Amino acid sequence: MDMKGREWKSSNNLVDCIKEMKIARNLQHDADFEDRHKDAAFYKSKADHFKNLVDQGIEFEPLF
């Protein structure tokens, strides 16, 4: 298992909250730029969810 940086792979079904927050925020900005307001609102809520987890000190979220 490669454990270097934020790109390490895990077989434990964990989601990297910081990485997912950045992805969702970029998708939100793209959707907003393309006037897809419903998609932008969805990605905003997803990015905000991961930001709240990061603010609480949670780096990984398990997938159940």
Side-chain angles (χ1 to χ4, degrees):
M1 183 181 333
D2 182 19
M3 299 291 285
K4 294 181 182 177
R6 300 212 66 83
E7 299 298 322
W8 66 273
K9 304 290 183 212
S10 173
S11 61
N12 297 336
N13 293 324
L14 297 175
V15 174
D16 185 334
C17 293
I18 295 172
K19 192 174 181 180
E20 290 298 316
M21 178 186 64
K22 289 178 182 179
I23 290 170
R25 195 65 73 193
N26 286 336
L27 289 171
Q28 174 199 351
H29 293 212
D30 290 344
D32 192 36
F33 181 76
E34 296 170 357
D35 292 328
R36 296 178 305 160
H37 302 292
K38 189 174 183 179
D39 291 339
F42 170 75
Y43 291 125
K44 180 184 181 328
S45 68
K46 187 172 180 178
D48 290 345
H49 166 72
F50 284 113
K51 180 168 178 10
N52 287 334
L53 292 176
V54 170
D55 290 346
Q56 294 173 18
I58 300 170
E59 291 187 26
F60 298 98
E61 183 178 49
L63 297 175
F64 292 111

